[in-house]
Amino acid sequence: MIPARFDYHRPDSVAAAVGLLQQHGDEARVVAGGHSLIPMMKLRMAAPAHLVDLQGIAALRGIEAGDRIRIGAMVTQSEMLAHAGLAEAAPILAEAARQIADPQVRNLGTVGGNVANGDPGNDLPALMLCLDATFTLEGPEGVREVAARGFYEAPYVTAREEEEILTAVGFDRPARGFAYEKQKRKIGDYATAAAAVLIGAEGGRVVSASVAMTNLADVPVFSAAAGEVLLGSDCGEDAVAAAVDAMQGDIDPVEDNRGPVEFKRHVAGVILARAIARAWSRV
Amino acid sequence: MKDLPDSEERRANLKGLGCARKRVEDARFTQGKGNYVDDIKLPGMLFGDFVRSPYAHARVKSINAEAALALPGVIAVLTAKDLEPLGLHWMPTLAGDKQMVLADGKVLFQGQEVAFVVATDRYIAADAVELVEVDYEDLPVVVDPFKAQAPDAPVLREDLEGVTEGAHGPRRHHNHIFTWEQGDAAGANAAIDGSEVIAEETIYYHRTHPCPLETCGCVASMDKINGKLTLWGTFQAPHVVRTVASLLSGIDEHNIRVVSPDIGGGFGNKVGVYPGYVCSIVATIVTGKPVKWVEDRMENLMATAFARDYWMKGRIGATKDGRITGLHAHVTADHGAFDACADPTKFPAGFFHICTGSYDIPVAYCAVDGVYTNKAPGGVAYRCSFRVTEAAYFIERMIEILAIKLGMDAAELRRINFIRADQFPYTSALGWEYDSGDYHTAWDKALKAVDYEGLRREQAERVEAFRRGETRKLLGIGLTHFTEIVGAGPVKNCDILGMGMFDSCEIRIHPTGSAIARLGTISQGQGHATTFAQILASETGIPADKITIEEGDTDTAPYGLGTYGSRSTPVAGAATAMAGRKIRAKAQMIAAYLLEVHDDDLEWDVDRFAVKGAPERFKTMAEIAYAAYNQAIPGVEPGLEAVSYYDPPNMTYPFGAYICVMEIDVDTGEHEIRQFYALDDCGTRINPMIIEGQVHGGLTEALAIAMGQEIAYDDMGNVRTGTLMDFFLPTAWETPNYQTDWTETPSPHHPIGAKGVGESPNVGGVPAFSNAVHDAFRAFGLTQTHMPHDHWRIWRTARDLGLHG
């Protein structure tokens, strides 16, 4: 539980951080809240010679909650939970954040770290897929925007280049019907299955629907098919069953200590049905 | 006279027996001012760290430490070859086996200690561990205790090849350790075979781990000038550790000082002697510098003593109206690579033969076969007396299964078979003499408290609603009536490495009427400094707030066998009371002299001796103490001290009635505990608040074990649950509200009637939680499913019963 030797850097600007990444190449790793990287280093599964801490960069903080919502990468999950404007504009964030571990973890865990690490167990990536968020990346070539739905390629492999830093996430104010439903074994555990659902409705019918799933494949899963089958429906029993079926085609869970594949698929279905029902109750 | 506080007021001021006195330890613990092993920092201290085996079974072909030794700051890398000339590459276990200190030619479990790196700081030590090159050749792995006994199973313990006689009798297979039996096999079989109803089932109590918040560790410091070795460590039995250290190292026992500082939980994990202690001692002797070794969480879970892992095959017979006729149990006990159980020497399966539980069973038999596998050694009593949780789980499951067979209510079946209050002292079919109990009273109180009849009605309605498709949740009512056996124990049949399991207390009353008492036990969170002072307060009339309790330093404390198996109150608590009585006897002589009366003319009144019939003539204990130091009293030595070594005449038998009401979601396998009622009878209650705290803590560990906590291995012998992500340690979020209650049936043989309570909630809690899960599915045909009842296993039960439609 003792990491290998490393040098610690605490730059005060994104440019300086990018400079450090350029200077040290693949020997450097960026650390935000540290909840994923530090344990990996303690287990010596990761041994970066240079650790670039983003805590000192003021530009990575701050939340804007207008029609377009923008959250700085170093905003903690606790800050996200406490933000009144965000609670009003996109309450699904608080509902999800509240289900991430415990207050001590949320006090350090950041939005950027959670979405950028590419860990399929993290909760916020699926949420970002559901929200159709955009990630802002800043690197030696400048700033670019990448759609969350095109960001996750494989476990811990994302569209972020090695010398880029994820600086913010942004998305439009979401539909009114929302839910983040998660089953876990205990506090601090990754999801056995979790579902993010956003539903917009007019005249008792679904006009927009977005579904994403956590920890049910080696990347977070956006299930376009599940959302599509809900369109035009009243979220009745048949529509929900069809959405669950569609979702099953998009996930690919593996057996672990949480249980075998058959169990995870069953729970994923139950969780999604519950999430849709709750989202529908809020439209 | 009128100004004198009355005796009740004076009694209250003592904060003695029965007082919910606040824990005196908490002031330092809640402020982060505890002093644990890892807080000890000595000048020039070195750090040890282990190279551990990634394989569960492999030959060690070579160890190359060159690169590690080349790292600046690395002092030494010890291997079995270095320890062999000292005879320390193996060490005896508490169970009559021996165990490798460092891998001697092969490794037998994942995480086994292979080499010990000593460096100037723990960071360098950790870096050096990575640099030690070990060449392994893997061998076939056996993790299943039944497969381990196959004729062609690989030989795990090559050192025992051809050895047909073990520490506990004949070995019938190369991976077999012992067979241990109690009771009347032929009689039990005949009684069961002739019964109107027979229930038969295998009950598995899975492997788990005590997982104390503080892991194991030590600081060893050899003073080469005076030849004295000091060993600070996480020891539940410091005096035994000193004796073992002396026997192993050849250092005279008076030259070894063992100190247990504050201990962050033990739960049985800190009873045994681990390779880290031995290596640290060798390293300090070799280097002449203090050496610290503290394991990390993964090492603790992977390599230090596990608990349980008992496959218990049971047969129970009964008349058709529910009267139990006989019980037969056979256990296959998976001990891992070495038999390192921490049981009294003559009991290789601990007190498993308490498995007749709270019931008057006319004839019984039990046998236990110990088996080697490629898993970590251990088999400790995790918050229970030796193998008592296994026994309680076994009988409480068998009763439920018998109730199913009989088509009878399980509460009623228990009531029919309870040992009656008028049968105590009661000798069980397996030879124990239960000291006291009143099970029917406790049971009826418990059932009434939860409105048992009402719960059963609600459950029946729920089953109907479920069948109609109106709900996906089932209701389980988990019943348990357990009988513990604690307070090991009588020296005539209980010893550890030959040391009789007495315990001790030494008291000094200071001239101004305050006191210090030292005991042979050691608190790991039990609150000894609080409760033992209360016992003494009631015995000597000195307020508990004026009594210091000290434990854990072998240079100052009297010899004792330590704290585990709920033995502190039954044994050291008794020693404390007896020592207090010796103080009082001498105080009576002093008071008689001061009051110029005969000893027999005095009577004890809370905190003083008063002349019979003339209560205004008295001497308080404080006055007597002062006189003991400043007056020449004819025929009486100066001073006021006493020591007592207490050999208990019998064990104590706490009991309790627990009821768990649980909601189960058949689709997700999740559960919610709606109510948990725990009635404990621990005899005389010393501190109700500490009892309640003990019950809450023990129930939470029971919750963990029953509902998710396990040490699981894959077929290759890899530990699958080596971190707290996968090893379930409940937080406040997972922990339900507990409703505690009590009856009070004193032990007739204990000086103050106390029986001990710390472990009862684990013993009774596990079957209560597990029975609730089983009970929820009883209406749908479930007889037995194994713990832990985590989400997917409960889900699997529901699926197998066809409840997913």
Side-chain angles (χ1 to χ4, degrees), chain B residues 672-689:
Chain B
E672 186 196 334
I673 292 147
R674 199 172 84 181
Q675 184 179 13
F676 197 104
Y677 170 90
L679 179 151
D680 273 283
D681 191 319
C682 57
T684 302
R685 289 155 54 84
I686 299 168
N687 182 325
M689 188 173 64

Side-chain angles (χ1 to χ4, degrees), chain B residues 358-698:
Chain B
S358 307
Y359 311 103
D360 184 12
I361 299 178
V363 56
Y365 169 78
C366 73
V368 179
D369 278 305
V371 178
Y372 291 124
T373 59
N374 289 121
K375 299 182 190 170
V380 294
Y382 169 9
R383 201 165 183 152
C384 67
S385 195
F386 314 101
R387 300 296 187 183
V388 176
T389 42
E390 288 92 328
Y393 185 63
F394 170 73
I395 186 65
E396 289 302 301
R397 281 301 310 138
M398 289 308 293
I399 289 284
E400 293 281 319
I401 292 160
L402 179 61
I404 292 169
K405 271 267 179 185
L406 287 161
M408 187 182 265
D409 178 80
E412 184 57 22
L413 179 61
R414 285 181 173 84
R415 185 187 280 109
I416 291 171
N417 289 286
F418 280 146
I419 301 161
R420 296 187 317 275
D422 61 28
Q423 287 177 281
F424 292 94
Y426 169 85
T427 303
S428 76
L430 293 175
W432 295 113
E433 189 189 300
Y434 291 35
D435 58 349
S436 65
D438 184 352
Y439 301 164
H440 286 94
T441 299
W443 195 237
D444 290 342
K445 188 174 183 183
L447 296 181
K448 189 159 178 258
V450 300
D451 181 21
Y452 181 67
E453 298 299 325
L455 283 173
R456 285 292 177 205
R457 278 194 300 278
E458 183 187 346
Q459 184 185 42
E461 286 160 15
R462 182 71 68 86
V463 167
E464 289 314 308
F466 182 87
R467 289 190 165 129
R468 289 193 301 268
E470 293 163 14
T471 179
R472 297 297 289 162
K473 284 190 177 174
L474 296 175
L475 186 67
I477 303 163
L479 303 176
T480 289
H481 190 288
F482 66 92
T483 297
E484 255 264 66
I485 171 170
V486 304
V491 171
K492 63 178 187 283
N493 54 14
C494 289
D495 71 273
I496 284 190
L497 291 178
M499 301 296 128
M501 294 181 74
F502 58 84
D503 227 290
S504 58
C505 175
E506 187 182 283
I507 305 171
R508 288 183 200 170
I509 311 292
H510 305 315
T512 52
S514 62
I516 181 166
R518 296 189 170 102
L519 292 89
T521 44
I522 175 70
S523 188
Q524 309 123 41
Q526 291 88 345
H528 288 178
T530 308
T531 51
F532 287 137
Q534 291 182 249
I535 295 176
L536 268 187
S538 287
E539 293 291 343
T540 65
I542 295 170
D545 290 343
K546 292 191 175 189
I547 301 171
T548 295
I549 299 292
E550 221 179 72
E551 302 174 303
D553 184 337
T554 59
D555 266 9
T556 54
Y559 203 100
L561 271 282
T563 296
Y564 41 88
S566 278
R567 63 185 302 282
S568 297
T569 293
V571 191
T576 304
M578 298 308 274
R581 285 171 196 182
K582 288 183 184 175
I583 293 284
R584 212 161 83 186
K586 183 171 179 181
Q588 185 164 2
M589 291 193 276
I590 298 170
Y593 172 79
L594 297 174
L595 292 163
E596 298 176 336
V597 295
H598 190 272
D599 292 5
D600 293 342
D601 294 332
L602 295 174
E603 61 187 359
W604 178 248
D605 176 25
V606 182
D607 58 353
R608 65 193 56 188
F609 279 104
V611 177
K612 287 177 185 168
E616 72 284 2
R617 294 190 62 211
F618 63 84
K619 288 291 172 189
T620 65
M621 187 53 97
E623 292 170 319
I624 295 166
Y626 197 64
Y629 289 90
N630 78 350
Q631 294 210 24
I633 301 169
V636 179
E637 287 179 7
L640 193 52
E641 300 189 4
V643 57
S644 172
Y645 282 74
Y646 188 80
D647 177 12
N650 189 6
M651 312 281 185
T652 60
Y653 297 76
F655 61 94
Y658 290 178
I659 299 172
C660 173
V661 184
M662 191 185 285
E663 301 266 358
I664 286 178
D665 184 325
V666 299
D667 290 321
T668 62
E670 291 170 301
H671 68 271
E672 186 196 334
I673 292 147
R674 199 172 84 181
Q675 184 179 13
F676 197 104
Y677 170 90
L679 179 151
D680 273 283
D681 191 319
C682 57
T684 302
R685 289 155 54 84
I686 299 168
N687 182 325
M689 188 173 64
I690 284 189
I691 291 171
E692 193 176 10
Q694 286 274 31
V695 172
H696 282 219

Side-chain angles (χ1 to χ4, degrees), chain A residues 44 186-187 257 262 274, chain B residues 127 665 720 724 734 799:
Chain A
R44 298 198 177 214
K186 57 176 185 177
I187 284 290
N257 285 331
E262 191 194 351
R274 287 179 185 175
Chain B
D127 287 344
D665 184 325
R720 285 169 42 215
L724 295 185
E734 292 88 9
R799 181 200 63 188

Side-chain angles (χ1 to χ4, degrees), chain A residues 239-253:
Chain A
V240 172
V244 167
D245 276 351
M247 175 274 293
Q248 294 286 359
D250 289 331
I251 63 171
D252 185 17

Side-chain angles (χ1 to χ4, degrees), chain B residues 715-731:
Chain B
D715 291 343
M716 299 299 292
N718 298 305
V719 180
R720 285 169 42 215
T721 51
T723 75
L724 295 185
M725 172 69 86
D726 288 310
F727 184 86
F728 178 36
L729 210 57
T731 66

